[in-house]
Amino acid sequence: MPDGQDPATIKILGAIGDISAADWDRCAGLDDPFVTYAFLSALEDSGSVSAQAGWHPRHMVLEDGQGQIAAVVPLYLKSHSYGEYIFDWNWADAYQRSGGAYYPKLQAAVPFTPVTGRRLLIDPDLPAAARTDIQRTLLKGLVQLTEDSGVSSCHLTFINQQEWQLCGDVGLLQRIDRQFHWLNEGYRTFDDFLATLTSRKRKSIRRERKGALQSGLTIGRLTGAQIKPRHWDAFYGFYRDTSERKWGQAYLNREFFDLLGQRLADKVMLVMAEDGGDLVGGALNMIGAQTLFGRYWGCLDHYKFLHFEACYYQAIEFAIENGLGKVEAGAQGQHKLQRGYLPHTTYSAHWIADPGFRKAVSAFLVQERDAVGDEIDALTTYSPFKSND
């Protein structure tokens, strides 16, 4: 087993298929479904992620002196900023107006997936000190690749706080944003959770849950082999409807959902609503070791309160029943706050190759971090939970 002290070699792969699932998952682990070989390969094998789609795989692999893979980074060469959820459109516009070419750029991320997690994926059997050294080596490798490739920048998005702090230590620019997450404070039942809310919020949630069923809907949760092709067919229709209304296009194709069902069905929790036997709406969640990740939602008609029930309350109930510590409900949405999802900081880090532009972005990020921090503080004052004062 490598100890992290041997000379390291960094290689760049043009497809995740250029590495074995065993080698990738030894570094990525299986706790976070989004960085597993199964999920990332489903994106590539379906064609949802490709050079033609503007997500050209350029995965970074670190080998030790014996040629054993010790770390990997999900990395893409991007020709646009779609599907990232950490918005840099203004950076691109400013740089291009000044005569620079912002695209292509490098992105260490999970495509189309605004969930927090590791992006520097290191063999967990290595000693802690060795893992930190390898993290630094990977970050230096990303900077060097940015410079050598002649691209404008490299971005690590939705990283964890430890990686973010290390990025700052080695000179990357640090950015923060916020999402709404629900935390499980040891609740045994959904009613235990409700008991921690103010009376008005508690009554509001009960009214919404009751109202979601008054339309005659049947709402259920499916995992693993319970999810049949008809469920995927229906859900893809829901996904397409929502995507085309919100973004003008669907990032994921139908084959991706087939592959997801084949390769990660036990990590999927699908909420489905039926009306008279017809599937009319649903929400897709991914199950991590400690977190339930809410991802996609859609509905073919308007059903009062169904969005809140399918996306938020069913997720909370599932997390409680399965002992999960957190629900991440995706990007945006201040309406989540009044349903028990509080604002939490998310992290990204950025390397800008042009020194002058890097200085300008750095100055902007100082102001933005202060503004985001103030916003989180302000939003927290609207917490639906009872005061401890």
Side-chain angles (χ1 to χ4, degrees), residues 203-212 305 308 313 339:
K203 291 177 181 177
S204 176
I205 290 176
R206 284 177 172 154
R207 182 176 66 253
E208 289 177 353
R209 300 205 75 183
K210 183 178 179 181
F305 302 128
F308 303 143
Y313 304 142
R339 291 161 181 90

Side-chain angles (χ1 to χ4, degrees), residues 159-215:
I159 57 181
N160 63 32
Q161 189 173 13
Q162 185 272 333
E163 289 183 342
W164 183 77
Q165 290 172 334
L166 188 61
C167 284
D169 291 343
V170 300
L172 276 71
L173 305 183
Q174 294 174 298
R175 192 176 193 185
I176 64 171
D177 203 343
R178 59 108 179 101
Q179 284 185 353
F180 295 94
H181 300 165
W182 178 85
L183 301 183
N184 186 353
E185 302 292 350
Y187 307 121
R188 294 174 300 172
T189 66
F190 192 88
D191 282 341
D192 284 349
F193 156 62
L194 288 181
T196 65
L197 305 180
T198 64
S199 174
R200 186 167 64 89
K201 299 305 180 185
R202 186 166 59 246
K203 291 177 181 177
S204 176
I205 290 176
R206 284 177 172 154
R207 182 176 66 253
E208 289 177 353
R209 300 205 75 183
K210 183 178 179 181
L213 297 174
Q214 284 180 339
S215 301

Side-chain angles (χ1 to χ4, degrees), residues 124-373:
D125 290 334
L126 292 172
R131 293 199 302 271
T132 300
D133 287 342
I134 290 174
Q135 284 182 312
R136 292 179 182 274
T137 299
L138 291 171
L139 291 173
K140 292 176 182 177
L142 288 170
V143 170
Q144 190 65 53
L145 180 63
T146 303
E147 304 286 350
D148 292 347
S149 301
V151 300
S152 72
S153 52
C154 182
H155 311 264
L156 297 89
T157 48
F158 294 101
I159 57 181
N160 63 32
Q161 189 173 13
Q162 185 272 333
E163 289 183 342
W164 183 77
Q165 290 172 334
L166 188 61
C167 284
D169 291 343
V170 300
L172 276 71
L173 305 183
Q174 294 174 298
R175 192 176 193 185
I176 64 171
D177 203 343
R178 59 108 179 101
Q179 284 185 353
F180 295 94
H181 300 165
W182 178 85
L183 301 183
N184 186 353
E185 302 292 350
Y187 307 121
R188 294 174 300 172
T189 66
F190 192 88
D191 282 341
D192 284 349
F193 156 62
L194 288 181
T196 65
L197 305 180
T198 64
S199 174
R200 186 167 64 89
K201 299 305 180 185
R202 186 166 59 246
K203 291 177 181 177
S204 176
I205 290 176
R206 284 177 172 154
R207 182 176 66 253
E208 289 177 353
R209 300 205 75 183
K210 183 178 179 181
L213 297 174
Q214 284 180 339
S215 301
L217 296 179
T218 300
I219 301 172
R221 298 195 295 264
L222 305 170
T223 59
Q226 296 172 320
I227 306 174
K228 307 298 183 183
R230 76 182 189 97
H231 298 120
W232 286 122
D233 287 338
F235 186 79
Y236 183 63
F238 308 154
Y239 164 73
R240 284 291 300 267
D241 180 71
T242 299
S243 297
E244 290 168 3
R245 282 189 289 105
K246 282 189 173 182
W247 308 304
Q249 66 175 355
Y251 296 131
L252 304 172
N253 58 30
R254 178 65 181 83
E255 185 181 357
F256 167 78
F257 291 97
D258 282 336
L259 294 176
L260 184 67
Q262 294 167 20
R263 300 176 184 181
L264 276 175
D266 61 334
K267 298 296 185 182
V268 173
M269 192 278 278
L270 201 60
V271 178
M272 298 297 281
E274 294 191 24
D275 187 356
D278 295 327
L279 296 168
V280 297
L284 186 150
N285 303 264
M286 299 296 293
I287 307 167
Q290 297 296 326
T291 304
L292 183 69
F293 302 94
R295 286 304 302 118
Y296 302 109
W297 141 265
C299 187
L300 299 183
D301 203 345
H302 175 71
Y303 291 90
K304 194 173 184 180
F305 302 128
L306 178 58
H307 176 244
F308 303 143
E309 176 65 23
C311 295
Y312 308 137
Y313 304 142
Q314 288 289 331
I316 289 173
E317 208 160 54
F318 182 90
I320 292 172
E321 291 172 3
N322 290 273
L324 300 177
K326 182 167 66 169
V327 178
E328 289 194 19
Q332 304 174 351
Q334 293 189 18
H335 57 279
K336 299 168 186 172
L337 178 61
Q338 300 309 309
R339 291 161 181 90
Y341 292 75
L342 297 183
H344 289 265
T345 305
T346 60
Y347 303 94
S348 64
H350 312 266
W351 175 256
I352 308 293
D354 184 308
F357 191 52
R358 183 165 67 244
K359 183 177 180 181
V361 172
S362 178
F364 163 77
L365 290 178
V366 170
Q367 298 179 38
E368 186 188 52
R369 286 195 298 270
D370 289 341
V372 172

